[in-house]
Amino acid sequence: MRLTRAAEYAIRCVLYLSQQGRGILISRQEIARQADIPAHFLAKIAQDLAKAGLIEIRQGARGGFVLSKNPAAINLLEVVEI
């Protein structure tokens, strides 16, 4: 099975957020830098992850992304199928 670039970036995003912990707000810029994801691509992927209920997007100057689910309850297939 081959992963699309979007699936790989989604995995990187969720993995980075999981390492920080559930409910911790992380800026889009930090995730893009630390997970090596182009910022414009991350915005699109984050929308899909939010629709799937995996993350929450917070807007504003101090906004970012928050992991919505317990990291132990997230499976790889759930992330890849967004």
Side-chain angles (χ1 to χ4, degrees):
M1 179 175 138
R2 290 184 151 250
L3 289 178
T4 64
R5 186 171 302 191
E8 181 182 343
Y9 289 158
I11 292 167
R12 288 185 197 179
C13 177
V14 170
L15 183 60
Y16 186 77
L17 286 169
S18 295
Q19 291 170 338
Q20 307 313 306
R22 182 179 181 195
I24 305 297
L25 179 68
I26 308 294
S27 74
R28 185 177 77 185
Q29 294 83 5
E30 179 180 343
I31 295 169
R33 185 177 59 253
Q34 295 295 327
D36 195 25
I37 303 170
H40 66 281
F41 211 145
L42 179 57
K44 168 65 175 115
I45 291 166
Q47 290 175 353
D48 294 337
L49 290 170
K51 286 178 188 173
L54 295 171
I55 70 169
E56 177 185 330
I57 299 173
R58 297 199 183 152
Q59 302 293 332
R62 301 188 60 70
F65 307 143
V66 176
L67 191 65
S68 298
K69 294 179 73 174
N70 180 342
I74 299 172
N75 65 57
L76 185 59
L77 185 61
E78 188 176 14
V79 176
V80 172
E81 288 186 333
I82 59 151

